[in-house]
Amino acid sequence: MARTAHPIRKQPEPAAAPTSEQPRRFIKLAEVRSLTTLSTSEIYRRIAAGTFPVQVMLGPKSAVWIESEILAWCEARIAESRGEAA
């Protein structure tokens, strides 16, 4: 039985490696809320205002955030509140 050749799909190019030593990790909304203590509506308000890291859509109904971006946002808020240079 002859096999039909399937066209070779070009793989997407890998994203740039994370700048930190830690591997990139996706976190869901519940963990973002826990880390920031912000409500869901406040998180999305800040995303719309451009003052909070934007989620990554893994599918039509699957949104995640990059943990290092959320942690950096938290650190920047701490530095701001203490008058430190971020």
Side-chain angles (χ1 to χ4, degrees):
M1 182 171 187
R3 290 180 86 169
T4 57
H6 294 285
I8 298 174
R9 294 183 186 161
K10 187 175 181 179
Q11 295 293 323
E13 293 188 24
T19 56
S20 68
E21 294 296 320
Q22 295 180 343
R24 185 169 291 159
R25 187 169 95 92
F26 290 147
I27 58 175
K28 300 292 271 179
L29 180 60
E31 191 167 351
V32 174
R33 285 194 321 254
S34 176
L35 289 170
T36 63
T37 71
L38 297 173
S39 68
T40 298
S41 56
E42 185 60 23
I43 289 168
Y44 284 107
R45 267 194 291 271
R46 290 178 185 218
I47 290 170
T51 60
F52 194 81
V54 177
Q55 71 273 35
V56 174
M57 297 304 296
L58 298 179
K61 294 183 178 183
S62 180
V64 295
W65 282 260
I66 298 170
E67 181 182 43
S68 60
E69 291 179 0
I70 300 303
L71 294 174
W73 181 89
C74 291
E75 292 299 322
R77 301 297 70 75
I78 293 168
E80 278 180 20
S81 73
R82 296 185 177 164
E84 300 170 3

